[in-house]
Amino acid sequence: MPARLKLILAYDGTAFAGWQSQSHHRTVQDRLEQALRQISGEKSSVHGAGRTDAGVHALGQCAHVDVPDRRLSANQWQRALNANLPATIRILSANYVSPSFHARYSAKAKIYRYRIWNAPVMPPLEVNRSWHILKKLEPSKMENTIRLFCGEHDFRAFAANRGKAEENTVRTIHSGRIIGRGRLVVVEWDGNGFLYKMVRLMVGALVNVALGKLTAAAVECALDSGEPAGSRVVAPAEGLYLVRVRY
Amino acid sequence: MPARLKLILAYDGTAFAGWQSQSHHRTVQDRLEQALRQISGEKSSVHGAGRTDAGVHALGQCAHVDVPDRRLSANQWQRALNANLPATIRILSANYVSPSFHARYSAKAKIYRYRIWNAPVMPPLEVNRSWHILKKLEPSKMENTIRLFCGEHDFRAFAANRGKAEENTVRTIHSGRIIGRGRLVVVEWDGNGFLYKMVRLMVGALVNVALGKLTAAAVECALDSGEPAGSRVVAPAEGLYLVRVRY
C-alpha cells in the first residue's frame, strides 16, 4: 500500500536550475525524483511547498511524496535519499504522514530570509549567497518601510507577473523584520503565502527606499493601488533563503 | 621609482589550486600577478605570508608586491585589482609600506581557524567549507588535547614531510582554542609559524582523540619524541581558514 512521506530538505540553490522539474533535469525536484526511483525502482512525483527559482537556497523546504510501501522506515528513507543525492541537497528529516497532508495546500506560513552584504567589498565566501550593495543603506528607512508590508494586502504590485487575471493576489504578512545590522543586513519575512518573486520585489523596494531612490509613501501607494511604484527592482535570487514552512 | 604595496586579501579556496604559482596558472598568486600586469603593464612578483594548499580559504592572507611607481594611490590599487580579479578573490586593503617590510619574513604570528561540522547530516551550504564528522566528538577530550600543543615544541611529528633534514621544526603556539560548540566546532590556532600541513595534522589528532581512536598521552609522546603517534590523519583542506597574519 502506498504511503506518504514528508521530507524537510535543504539545498544550495547555486547548484540547480530551481526547484521545479524541467526537461533538462537540473532541478532539485528532478534530482529528488531520480533518487527516489533509484531506491524504490518506481517513479514517484514529489510535491514541494513552494517553487524556488534558480539560485534561491533552502534551509528548510518541505515536500511530500507517495512511496510504494512502508518497507523502509522513514529514517531509512532519509539515509537512502542522502546516499543517492548530491551533497548540495540534504534531507534533514523524513516522516510518514497521513495521506491528507499536502506540502503545498496544508502549509500555513512560510518564512524567507534575504541576505544583503552592505559594504564596499564583498567577501569571497559571500559570493552566490548574498546581494552585494556598496552604498550604505539607511536602517531606519528600511525599518519604516518594512512595516508597510505587514498585515493583509493585495500584493499585485509586488508580483513578477502582477498576478494572473484569475489569481487571488491578497496575502498576509505576519511579520517582516530586519534581523541583521552593519555590513550584513538580513531581512526576514513570515507570511501565509508569497506571490511569484514577491519577496525579491519587496526587498528591491526596501533597498530603493534605503538608498533614497524611492519614498515609503510610494510603496504605500503601490500597496493600495496595485500599481507598481516606479521602476521595480527584483533583488537577485542568490540572497534569498526559504527558511521554513509552517503547517 | 618602485614602491612596495602591502595587500590584505580574502579568497574562496574552492576556486583555486592553492596560493603558490603553478604552470597551469589556476592559483591565487597567478591570478594576482595577472591582475597586477593588466593594471601596470609590467610583470610583478607577489610574495605571500604563507602558502595555502588547494581548497584552503583565506579571510586575511597578507602579501607584498613591488609596483613600478606611485602613480596610483593605494586605494586606487585596491579598486583596480578588485576590478581585475574574480569575485572569489578580494583585496580587503592595500597600503604602501617601507621596502623593509616582507609579507613572509616580517610576520610575527598567524591565526588559523578550522571548521568541523559535527552532526549526522551536513548542510549543503557547508559543503567545501567544513569537515563533516558524523560521530559525536567529545569536547572535553579536545580541550585537554589542544593544551598539549600550546607553547614551544618541536612539531616534526606534525609536519607533512616530517621536516626536511636541515629544517628547524621548532614552533611556538601562542594559543589553541575550541571556539565553536555543538554541531559547529571551530578550532582556532595562533602561532609564530606552522610547518607544512601542521594545522591539519594537529586537527586530525584532536579529532582522533575526541573519537577515542588516539590517547592524549600518545599526542604528548609524539610531541616529545618527534615520532608520529600511530597513523596520522590530515584534516581536509576545505575546513581550514587563514584568518590573519600579525606583524
Side-chain angles (χ1 to χ4, degrees):
Chain A
M1 218 176 86
R4 185 156 290 188
L5 265 181
K6 177 188 176 189
L7 305 172
I8 310 283
L9 63 149
Y11 44 87
D12 176 354
T14 317
F16 304 98
W19 168 265
Q20 177 78 355
S21 184
Q22 286 189 42
S23 56
H24 55 56
H25 297 312
R26 289 190 302 271
T27 72
V28 180
Q29 189 189 339
D30 288 316
R31 294 308 305 261
L32 256 175
E33 292 180 354
Q34 264 174 39
L36 283 156
R37 196 172 192 164
Q38 275 157 356
I39 298 162
S40 73
E42 291 185 33
K43 200 174 170 332
S44 325
S45 292
V46 172
H47 299 264
R51 300 167 186 183
T52 52
D53 284 331
V56 175
H57 311 288
L59 306 178
Q61 165 75 289
C62 184
H64 79 257
V65 60
D66 290 328
V67 292
D69 54 61
R70 286 194 185 230
R71 255 181 295 179
L72 294 182
S73 70
N75 278 344
Q76 286 173 323
W77 268 111
Q78 184 196 2
R79 281 195 297 270
L81 283 167
N82 280 337
N84 283 279
L85 285 166
T88 41
I89 305 177
R90 287 293 93 178
I91 307 295
L92 305 180
S93 75
N95 285 291
Y96 282 113
V97 288
S98 137
S100 67
F101 174 85
H102 191 288
R104 185 160 158 220
Y105 303 131
S106 309
K108 289 224 162 40
K110 277 180 204 151
I111 293 129
Y112 278 99
R113 215 170 273 159
Y114 197 92
R115 199 174 163 93
I116 296 167
W117 194 267
N118 190 211
V121 177
M122 169 114 129
L125 295 169
E126 287 295 325
V127 172
N128 291 325
R129 299 186 177 197
S130 55
W131 184 13
H132 185 202
I133 294 178
L134 289 85
K135 244 187 107 186
K136 186 85 196 87
L137 299 173
E138 227 181 89
S140 64
K141 284 191 178 170
M142 292 184 84
E143 292 283 5
N144 291 338
T145 313
I146 203 166
R147 279 186 221 127
L148 303 174
F149 291 110
C150 296
E152 188 184 88
H153 299 281
D154 182 340
F155 284 96
R156 185 152 51 97
F158 297 90
N161 45 18
R162 297 190 50 201
K164 292 162 206 140
E166 73 290 2
E167 195 184 9
N168 175 4
T169 49
V170 174
R171 295 288 184 279
T172 300
I173 293 190
H174 304 305
S175 72
R177 297 187 302 150
I178 317 283
I179 53 172
R181 299 288 154 156
R183 293 183 302 177
L184 178 63
V185 178
V186 179
V187 189
E188 195 174 272
W189 303 91
D190 180 329
N192 70 350
F194 295 90
L195 301 167
Y196 187 46
K197 294 198 178 161
M198 179 171 146
V199 176
R200 291 163 60 190
L201 279 158
M202 292 191 298
V203 170
L206 278 184
V207 164
N208 262 350
V209 172
L211 292 175
K213 294 182 183 172
L214 190 72
T215 63
V219 170
E220 208 163 2
C221 180
L223 279 167
D224 289 344
S225 68
E227 293 302 314
S231 62
R232 304 196 296 176
V233 169
V234 185
E238 61 259 34
L240 185 58
Y241 297 73
L242 172 53
V243 176
R244 199 153 57 89
V245 184
R246 263 212 316 269
Y247 291 96
Chain B
M1 217 179 83
R4 184 157 291 188
L5 264 180
K6 177 189 176 188
L7 306 171
I8 310 284
L9 63 149
Y11 44 86
D12 176 353
T14 317
F16 304 97
W19 168 267
Q20 177 77 353
S21 183
Q22 288 188 40
S23 54
H24 55 57
H25 297 312
R26 289 190 303 273
T27 71
V28 179
Q29 189 189 340
D30 288 316
R31 295 308 304 260
L32 258 176
E33 291 180 354
Q34 262 174 43
L36 284 156
R37 196 172 190 164
Q38 275 158 358
I39 299 161
S40 73
E42 291 186 33
K43 198 173 170 336
S44 325
S45 293
V46 172
H47 297 265
R51 301 168 184 181
T52 53
D53 284 330
V56 175
H57 312 288
L59 306 178
Q61 166 74 289
C62 185
H64 79 257
V65 59
D66 291 328
V67 293
D69 53 61
R70 287 193 183 228
R71 256 182 295 180
L72 294 183
S73 72
N75 278 345
Q76 285 173 323
W77 268 111
Q78 184 195 4
R79 282 196 296 272
L81 283 168
N82 280 337
N84 283 279
L85 285 167
T88 42
I89 305 178
R90 287 293 92 176
I91 307 295
L92 305 180
S93 76
N95 286 289
Y96 282 114
V97 288
S98 137
S100 67
F101 174 84
H102 191 288
R104 185 160 158 221
Y105 304 131
S106 310
K108 289 226 165 36
K110 280 181 200 149
I111 292 129
Y112 278 99
R113 216 170 271 159
Y114 197 92
R115 201 174 162 92
I116 296 167
W117 194 267
N118 190 210
V121 177
M122 169 114 130
L125 295 170
E126 287 294 327
V127 172
N128 291 326
R129 296 183 180 201
S130 55
W131 184 14
H132 184 203
I133 294 179
L134 290 84
K135 245 186 106 184
K136 187 86 194 84
L137 298 173
E138 226 179 271
S140 64
K141 283 190 178 170
M142 292 183 85
E143 293 283 5
N144 292 337
T145 314
I146 204 166
R147 277 186 222 127
L148 303 175
F149 290 110
C150 297
E152 186 184 272
H153 299 280
D154 182 340
F155 284 97
R156 186 152 50 97
F158 297 90
N161 45 17
R162 298 190 51 204
K164 292 162 206 142
E166 73 290 1
E167 196 184 8
N168 175 3
T169 49
V170 174
R171 296 290 185 277
T172 300
I173 293 190
H174 304 306
S175 71
R177 296 186 304 150
I178 317 283
I179 54 173
R181 299 289 155 156
R183 292 184 302 178
L184 179 62
V185 178
V186 179
V187 188
E188 195 174 273
W189 303 92
D190 180 330
N192 70 351
F194 295 90
L195 301 168
Y196 187 46
K197 293 197 178 162
M198 180 170 146
V199 176
R200 291 162 62 189
L201 280 159
M202 291 192 297
V203 170
L206 278 185
V207 163
N208 262 349
V209 171
L211 293 173
K213 293 181 182 172
L214 190 71
T215 62
V219 170
E220 208 165 2
C221 180
L223 280 167
D224 289 343
S225 69
E227 292 303 313
S231 61
R232 304 195 297 177
V233 169
V234 184
E238 60 260 35
L240 186 58
Y241 298 72
L242 172 54
V243 176
R244 199 155 57 89
V245 184
R246 265 212 317 269
Y247 290 96

